[in-house]
Amino acid sequence: MVTQEAADLKIRREDMPFLPFSMHDVYIKKIRLQQLDDFMANVTFMLPEGVYRSDEDSNPIPGSILFEQVDLDFSNVYVMKTCGVNYGKIKGRKYSLKKFIKKYKKADIEIVDETYGYYQSKFSGYLYEDETIKEIMIELYHVGGMYYLVEGEGE
């Protein structure tokens, strides 16, 4: 049995490099899906208010987010009836990305947190539909890139 003290090599997992834009407090008005074949699609988050630069306190910059080659078999959305800091049992439903887009096409999504790694982009936040607020987690598995499509900002 190898113990941590006896390890010959210690490798630190590095955090993701600095991102130019933050999705925190960003609203998604629509999720657009461009089918590439039976299993893959390009997915665009339409952001009516835009994104925020990470390195400064500024006004949002108009734009959208593009995810290329999203694997639809491994991309899901969890919608939970709990809202806020609740603990215990969770009630909700897991949707395929396509079914979620179809069911919640008029809902607004507020992103609170974002996580990236290993071909995945995950977003958690709130889903607003009529007078109802629910918690949401979006999991996108994509082998292509993630692109910030912003107006007037060269990156």
Side-chain angles (χ1 to χ4, degrees):
M1 179 172 173
V2 177
T3 64
Q4 189 173 10
E5 295 83 29
D8 293 327
L9 186 59
K10 181 179 177 181
I11 300 172
R12 180 179 191 269
R13 179 195 55 85
E14 295 295 326
D15 291 333
M16 186 159 197
F18 182 75
L19 296 171
F21 299 98
S22 170
M23 292 285 289
H24 179 72
D25 286 341
V26 166
Y27 283 85
I28 300 171
K29 184 64 177 171
K30 181 178 182 178
I31 300 175
R32 184 179 297 150
L33 192 128
Q34 176 197 6
Q35 198 82 34
L36 300 173
D37 60 28
D38 289 342
F39 307 102
M40 294 282 195
N42 290 340
V43 174
T44 305
F45 288 175
M46 308 306 292
L47 314 173
E49 297 171 12
V51 295
Y52 295 92
R53 288 193 66 79
S54 297
D55 59 353
E56 59 188 63
D57 189 19
S58 65
N59 294 323
I61 300 164
S64 56
I65 307 286
L66 170 65
F67 302 89
E68 289 185 330
Q69 297 175 316
V70 173
D71 189 324
L72 298 174
D73 284 341
F74 298 100
S75 297
N76 304 295
V77 181
Y78 300 83
V79 178
M80 297 158 275
K81 296 182 188 217
T82 59
C83 187
V85 184
N86 297 320
Y87 299 100
K89 291 184 181 181
I90 297 172
K91 287 188 171 192
R93 176 172 231 119
K94 177 180 178 181
Y95 294 94
S96 70
L97 182 62
K98 285 176 83 170
K99 285 187 180 179
F100 172 81
I101 291 170
K102 191 174 187 177
K103 180 170 177 59
Y104 290 101
K105 58 185 159 208
K106 295 190 184 222
D108 291 326
I109 300 166
E110 177 186 8
I111 300 301
V112 176
D113 197 20
E114 57 191 309
T115 307
Y116 305 101
Y118 300 102
Y119 303 108
Q120 294 183 54
S121 296
K122 295 184 180 186
F123 305 93
S124 60
Y126 299 104
L127 177 84
Y128 301 95
E129 184 183 42
D130 301 321
E131 300 296 317
T132 306
I133 302 173
K134 298 177 181 176
E135 287 190 27
I136 188 170
M137 184 186 308
I138 302 169
E139 297 179 332
L140 299 180
Y141 185 90
H142 53 101
V143 294
M146 173 185 166
Y147 300 92
Y148 300 97
L149 307 176
V150 294
E151 297 177 13
E153 292 283 320
E155 277 293 318

